[in-house]
């Protein structure tokens, strides 16, 4: 809509914001009218109209099989659009139009803002399934008529009250029509069912909705007065009412078709199951995070015990083996610490890689700088844990065997993500500028424990490949390539 308005019309940013506010609300008008809505805005030269938005009803058949957004219509081809725009009134004159053997009633509603008509809503009703209207349908149509008059007068939508269409109640969820005093004139079956969930035993019609709602909600002192006003529809507001056995969501819409409040619409939805599931998910997330936190603490305890044991070792080889074990346990602990801070089982592996680089660099016999070039991105936990172990082993091997006491150099980690949306891949290159590989070295047959761990994890856990070869200029290059499955963003 932004592109169409800016390309074809003379409307400014504040007018465009008003149209966005209208479009965020007009699903309600479409559903209450059982009609399609198309928003037409005059072009910059005033010779044509451009359709910038469209809405189909959830409560009835559509009268437009095709998408109308972006269509241009010369002025004069649709006289009802011209009359609504020029005269600033709702136009209902004319016989039904026939579209693909379907009779369609067409009405035009001017969209007014601060005294100016910005465009026209064409309301198109498919008459093929018209039947004798029920009380619910009559209430819908009367409410739609009131909202249309408010749009034409510039009093709807309500400024500063942009609605999330996905989160707010809709007409089909439950509708209650109130008079000017807040007394219920009509309640749809779904609305009545929602109030029964709160504990209402009687009918709603003839009762003051605010008072009934306050009685059903837990007593909260002064807050009850505000709840009475909100449920009476005095102002455009949303709230949730939680009773003993259920939770309902309310949205109040004052009706002022001629500038004077004649009543209100209250949309309501039973969200009991939704809120119960949300609480279960919150509890589950908290439990998982606590488990990761405790695993991290236990791993750190194990690392501390190994470190104490290493200090008591008389054998240098034994001490080195225990220190390597400490680093391996530490790399797993880093992953669980990161998982304990997230709401899902996914981690930003760049942070983990940087911490592993820092941890392993502490064992460097010389002055070796470690750096990361590129991004790992977000990885699943089942990939992150073995990959952290692999990265620890590869870096530890590079620093221990590539550099001696007093040597200077660098170790670079280069992750590259690629592949297709259905089969992503991660390639990690770890390259140092140290001594290089000994003559005749074969990474696939090496008996080094660290490399055995790497091979096992890469090929078994990650389903990838591992290779170690001389770097192009100097040093050693380790290449890890693994699948990531479906890419997730």
């Amino acid at each position: 809509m932004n592109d169409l308005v800016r390309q074809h019309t003379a409307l400014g940013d504040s007018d465009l914001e008003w149209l966005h506010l209208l479009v965020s609300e007009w699903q309600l008008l479409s559903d209450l009218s059982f009609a399609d809505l198309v928003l037409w805005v005059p072009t910059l030269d005033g010779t044509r109209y451009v359709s910038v938005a469209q809405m189909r009803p959830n409560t009835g058949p559509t009268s437009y099989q095709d998408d109308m957004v972006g269509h241009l219509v010369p002025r004069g081809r649709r006289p009802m659009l011209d009359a609504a725009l020029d005269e600033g009134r709702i136009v209902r004159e004319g016989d039904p139009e026939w579209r693909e053997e379907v009779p369609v009633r067409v009405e035009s509603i001017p969209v007014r803002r601060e005294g100016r008509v910005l465009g026209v809503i064409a309301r198109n009703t498919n008459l093929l399934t018209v039947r004798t209207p029920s009380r619910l349908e009559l209430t819908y149509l009367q409410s739609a008529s009131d909202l249309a008059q408010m749009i034409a007068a510039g009093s709807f939508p309500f400024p500063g009250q942009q609605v999330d269409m996905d989160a707010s109640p809709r007409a089909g969820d439950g509708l209650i029509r109130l008079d000017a005093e807040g007394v219920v004139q009509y309640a749809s079956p779904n609305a009545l069912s929602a109030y029964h969930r709160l504990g209402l035993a009687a009918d709603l019609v003839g009762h003051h909705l605010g008072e009934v709602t306050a009685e059903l909600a837990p007593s909260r002192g002064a807050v009850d007065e505000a709840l009475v006003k909100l449920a009476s529809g005095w102002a455009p507001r949303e709230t949730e009412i939680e009773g003993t056995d259920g939770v309902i969501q309310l949205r109040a819409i004052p009706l002022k078709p001629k500038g004077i409040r004649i009543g209100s619409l209250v949309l309501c939805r039973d969200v009991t199951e939704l809120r119960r599931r949300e609480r279960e998910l919150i509890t589950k997330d908290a439990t998982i995070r606590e488990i990761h936190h405790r695993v991290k603490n236990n791993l750190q305890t194990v690392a501390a015990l190994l470190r104490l044991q290493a200090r008591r070792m008389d054998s240098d080889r034994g001490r080195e083996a225990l220190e390597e074990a400490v680093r391996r346990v530490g790399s797993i602990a880093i992953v669980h610490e990161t998982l304990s801070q997230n709401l899902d089982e996914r981690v930003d592996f760049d942070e983990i890689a940087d911490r592993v680089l820092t941890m392993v660099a502490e064992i460097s016999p010389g002055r070796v700088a470690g750096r990361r070039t590129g991004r790992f991105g977000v990885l699943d936990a089942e990939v992150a844990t073995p990959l952290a172990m692999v990265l620890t082993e590869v870096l530890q091997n590079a620093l221990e065997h590539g550099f001696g006491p007093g040597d200077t150099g660098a170790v670079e980690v280069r992750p590259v993500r690629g592949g297709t949306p259905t089969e992503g891949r991660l390639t990690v290159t770890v390259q140092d500028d140290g001594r290089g590989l000994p003559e005749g070295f074969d990474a696939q047959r090496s008996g080094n424990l660290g490399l055995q761990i790497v091979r096992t994890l890469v090929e078994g856990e990650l389903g990838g490949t591992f290779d170690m070869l001389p770097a192009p200029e100097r040093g050693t290059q380790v290449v890890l390539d693994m699948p990531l499955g479906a890419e997730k963003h």
Side-chain angles (χ1 to χ4, degrees), residues 167-402:
S168 293
R170 299 190 179 191
D173 295 324
L175 180 140
I176 301 172
R177 173 90 185 210
L178 310 179
D179 64 13
E181 301 302 320
V183 177
V184 178
Q185 295 179 311
Y186 175 78
S188 72
N190 284 350
L192 195 57
S193 175
Y195 266 83
H196 285 166
R197 190 71 179 261
L198 279 184
L200 179 70
D203 195 1
L204 277 172
V205 176
H207 296 278
H208 191 280
L209 186 66
E211 294 174 358
V212 170
T213 305
E215 289 174 3
L216 295 173
S219 179
R220 294 177 293 177
V223 180
D224 288 344
E225 296 182 12
L227 182 59
V228 169
K229 287 189 175 181
L230 188 149
S232 301
W234 286 94
R237 293 286 186 274
E238 285 192 38
T239 191
E240 283 191 6
I241 312 297
E242 183 167 0
T244 305
D245 299 318
V247 183
I248 66 171
Q249 188 179 16
L250 296 182
R251 182 188 175 205
I253 302 171
L255 296 176
K256 303 176 181 179
K258 296 182 180 179
I260 300 174
R261 183 174 172 275
I262 63 167
S264 307
L265 284 181
V266 177
L267 306 179
C268 60
R269 177 169 60 181
D270 183 352
V271 292
T272 306
E273 291 303 313
L274 181 63
R275 295 296 174 258
R276 181 184 63 79
R277 290 173 185 170
E278 286 178 352
R279 291 188 183 109
E280 288 179 352
L281 286 174
I282 291 171
T283 303
K284 180 181 176 182
D285 287 340
T287 302
I288 291 173
R289 292 170 69 176
E290 178 62 21
I291 288 171
H292 284 302
H293 182 72
R294 293 190 181 188
V295 170
K296 183 261 298 183
N297 287 345
N298 290 339
L299 289 172
Q300 288 180 338
T301 301
V302 171
L305 292 172
L306 291 173
R307 199 174 290 113
L308 285 172
Q309 187 66 42
R311 291 173 185 167
R312 295 174 177 269
M313 291 290 291
D314 296 328
S315 168
D316 291 339
R317 293 188 61 183
R319 187 182 306 110
E320 290 174 3
L322 287 175
E323 288 173 350
E324 287 181 4
V326 167
R327 285 187 286 275
R328 287 166 185 149
V329 172
S331 65
I332 302 175
I334 290 173
V335 176
H336 282 282
E337 181 179 2
T338 307
L339 286 168
S340 70
Q341 299 167 0
N342 295 336
L343 292 176
D344 55 14
E345 290 291 285
R346 310 188 74 222
V347 294
D348 184 349
F349 198 80
D350 295 322
E351 178 185 348
I352 293 174
D354 292 342
R355 292 179 64 179
V356 168
L357 262 171
T358 302
M359 179 180 68
V360 175
E362 294 174 355
I363 68 162
S364 172
R367 295 190 299 275
V368 181
R371 64 175 179 270
R372 171 177 56 85
T373 305
R375 298 192 70 248
F376 286 90
V378 177
L379 300 177
D380 292 333
E382 58 263 28
V383 174
T385 302
L387 184 56
M389 281 277 292
V390 168
L391 192 59
T392 301
E393 296 298 332
V394 171
L395 289 170
Q396 186 168 298
N397 189 75
L399 292 172
E400 284 186 351
H401 302 289

Side-chain angles (χ1 to χ4, degrees), residues 405-467:
D407 290 349
T408 59
V411 178
E412 182 181 27
V413 179
R414 295 195 302 271
V416 176
R417 291 183 76 152
T420 65
T422 56
E423 184 60 38
R425 296 199 71 83
L426 174 65
T427 302
V428 183
T429 303
V430 180
Q431 183 171 321
D432 66 70
D433 55 3
R435 301 170 181 169
L437 296 172
E439 188 175 347
F441 178 83
D442 185 352
Q444 302 302 324
R445 297 184 179 180
S446 172
N448 181 296
L449 176 61
L451 294 183
Q452 287 181 3
I453 292 174
V454 171
R455 279 199 302 272
T456 301
L457 291 176
V458 172
E459 296 172 3
E461 294 288 325
L462 299 173
T465 60
F466 156 72
D467 198 9

Side-chain angles (χ1 to χ4, degrees), residues 78-113:
R78 299 190 178 181
M80 295 177 70
L81 291 181
D82 299 339
L85 183 69
D86 297 338
E87 302 172 22
R89 65 180 179 88
I90 298 175
V91 180
R92 295 191 175 93
E93 298 90 357
D95 297 326
E97 297 181 3
W98 287 83
R99 298 177 188 162
E100 300 179 358
E101 300 184 355
V102 175
V104 176
R105 182 174 64 240
V106 180
E107 303 166 85
S108 295
I109 305 167
V111 177
R112 191 183 303 273
R113 175 180 178 265

